[in-house]
Amino acid sequence: MHRSAFASLLALSFAAALWAGTPPELFQKAKAQFRLHSYSDSLATLEELDLKSQSPENASYRTALAPGLAFYRGACLAAMGRGEEARGQFEIYLVFQPSAVLDPALFPAPVLQALDEARRGLTGRHDRPEETGSVAAAYRTFARPNPDGGASMREDWAEGPVRFLLSPEERRSFARLADPVSRSEFIVAFWKGHDPRPETPDNELREEFDKRVAFADAHYAQDEIRGSLTDRGMVFLLLGPPTYIGRKPIATGEDRSDPAGMSRFSRSDVTVAQAGLDSRSSGLVVDRMTGPNNKLPDAAGNWREVWHYRREVLPKGVPYQQVDFDFISRKGYGKNVLQREVATLNTIEAARKALLDRAAWIQATR
């Protein structure tokens, strides 16, 4: 046996002894197997990881591992010559990391090629503008959820994701119902009343809404909060995938009230500068050095994520060419908090009405 092959086997045996099988450990194991070119074994470990992450006790890992799971699945498939399957996984990965760049020294050429083709495929779709974003691509390939087996009939149904569709009066009416039978009848009547095509056996609106809920839960969970109950989840449920998403640290001067900001200049810097200036310019320079614009926000905890919806995907009746939903993450403020401006609030209400209006829903889905 070649020395390199023996070393690889020894490394794998040692890794197997160390990793007990928690989601983070399984992920590290899959990465190690990939680095050793054991692509089939890595793919099997990723499948085990995916299965384990679905259990309730591992819910906190699910969202954090989703990008890496999609990436290494794609990388393994590409390295095994399964390019088409790899591109599908990389499209999902690009939802999370749209600007990802790989080091050619660390990944085989087929992996680099598959990722590049996935990116070109996403940005090259011009026939339907709403599908040019990687979120839309991931949503298209997202499997529809299985029926919930009656979970939606629970007493807290109106406090779940459907609350974004209910009117205040409907929520009050549901809260007054005291028994499971009455609540079940209310829910059946609600969905039946908003079935866009009552002549068909399926309720297309409910199926689409349930799919959006499942997608939001899988991608936008925050700590212990379901993804569909977050601000980003609410926007996704009502408007669907955005045209494209941008995410960046909050730049200097954009968040002047940030208490976690770090000053560009120390007290001694200001003293030295003041000592070397004449009285005519001293005040201006010191103001510039000590004012709010010299603060450097903590990039690890201060982010702006913007969801851009262009005219083509906005509800009918919205008088804007584009609506941007601004989500701010800042220490002491919250994670991905929607900035509730007039345009965004008007668009959210218009989207809710459009979803519940049969004619508008059918027209939007043609």
Side-chain angles (χ1 to χ4, degrees):
M1 180 182 292
H2 293 294
R3 181 174 298 178
S4 59
F6 178 77
S8 297
L9 286 174
L10 184 63
L12 282 174
S13 300
F14 181 69
L18 288 178
W19 283 308
T22 66
E25 291 165 342
L26 285 172
F27 185 54
Q28 294 302 320
K29 177 182 177 181
K31 289 170 62 177
Q33 290 170 325
F34 178 86
R35 288 193 295 269
L36 294 171
H37 310 295
S38 300
Y39 303 124
S40 296
D41 292 337
S42 180
L43 203 57
T45 301
L46 292 170
E47 294 306 315
E48 182 182 354
L49 168 62
D50 189 21
L51 182 63
K52 182 158 291 190
S53 68
Q54 301 304 314
S55 60
E57 65 271 17
N58 291 323
S60 60
Y61 295 116
R62 198 173 305 146
T63 301
L65 289 172
L69 188 62
F71 173 79
Y72 277 99
R73 271 177 170 163
C76 289
L77 290 168
M80 295 166 66
R82 295 158 64 179
E84 185 173 350
E85 296 173 79
R87 288 190 292 274
Q89 290 298 315
F90 281 143
E91 286 188 357
I92 297 173
Y93 170 68
L94 289 169
V95 172
F96 304 93
Q97 300 290 340
S99 303
V101 177
L102 302 184
D103 185 347
L106 299 178
F107 295 94
V111 175
L112 304 175
Q113 180 180 351
L115 180 62
D116 189 49
E117 289 175 352
R119 181 179 284 111
R120 288 202 306 269
L122 291 175
T123 58
R125 293 180 180 131
H126 298 298
D127 54 327
R128 295 187 65 188
E130 66 270 29
E131 294 184 356
T132 59
S134 53
V135 176
Y139 186 62
R140 286 197 307 276
T141 61
F142 188 77
R144 290 185 180 275
N146 294 323
D148 61 10
S152 62
M153 302 294 183
R154 298 180 306 187
E155 186 176 353
D156 61 351
W157 173 78
E159 301 304 319
V162 77
R163 69 188 185 192
F164 301 124
L165 296 181
L166 297 175
S167 67
E169 179 55 36
E170 286 171 328
R171 293 184 68 176
R172 287 192 291 268
S173 297
F174 185 82
R176 288 194 290 266
L177 301 176
D179 60 276
V181 174
S182 299
R183 289 193 292 270
S184 175
E185 291 175 347
F186 182 98
I187 294 169
V188 170
F190 172 81
W191 287 116
K192 184 177 180 180
H194 297 294
D195 187 350
R197 294 186 176 91
E199 69 277 7
T200 65
D202 299 322
N203 187 325
E204 294 82 3
L205 170 60
R206 186 173 186 178
E207 290 179 357
E208 174 65 17
F209 186 76
D210 287 346
K211 181 180 177 181
R212 291 184 184 185
V213 168
F215 187 89
D217 284 342
H219 291 83
Y220 304 128
Q222 294 174 190
D223 300 324
E224 301 301 319
I225 303 175
R226 287 181 63 180
S228 56
L229 298 182
T230 63
D231 281 356
R232 291 187 299 173
M234 173 189 67
V235 173
F236 189 88
L237 296 189
L238 297 178
L239 286 153
T243 307
Y244 62 100
I245 292 176
R247 189 170 186 264
K248 64 177 182 178
I250 297 176
T252 303
E254 291 184 344
D255 186 12
R256 300 187 180 191
S257 62
D258 181 15
M262 300 173 290
S263 177
R264 288 179 180 272
F265 307 101
S266 68
R267 184 182 299 273
S268 61
D269 292 333
V270 176
T271 301
V272 170
Q274 191 172 18
L277 297 169
D278 59 46
S279 59
R280 291 171 297 178
S281 58
S282 176
L284 294 175
V285 173
V286 171
D287 284 346
R288 188 167 65 247
M289 295 179 70
T290 59
N293 283 344
N294 85 90
K295 292 291 183 180
L296 293 172
D298 178 5
N302 297 275
W303 285 86
R304 167 176 280 108
E305 183 169 303
V306 184
W307 290 18
H308 306 273
Y309 286 86
R310 289 181 179 164
R311 170 69 268 167
E312 296 86 354
V313 296
L314 290 173
K316 301 297 182 183
V318 173
Y320 312 112
Q321 292 302 313
Q322 178 170 303
V323 178
D324 295 340
F325 289 82
D326 213 358
F327 301 94
I328 299 296
S329 295
R330 190 173 67 223
K331 290 183 178 179
Y333 179 70
K335 293 182 179 179
N336 297 304
V337 178
L338 175 63
Q339 304 306 286
R340 286 165 166 78
E341 301 173 353
V342 173
T344 58
L345 294 177
N346 288 344
T347 303
I348 286 172
E349 181 58 19
R352 188 186 75 84
K353 291 179 179 178
L355 277 176
L356 297 177
D357 182 83
R358 290 175 174 174
W361 198 91
I362 292 173
Q363 185 176 9
T365 54
R366 280 177 179 170

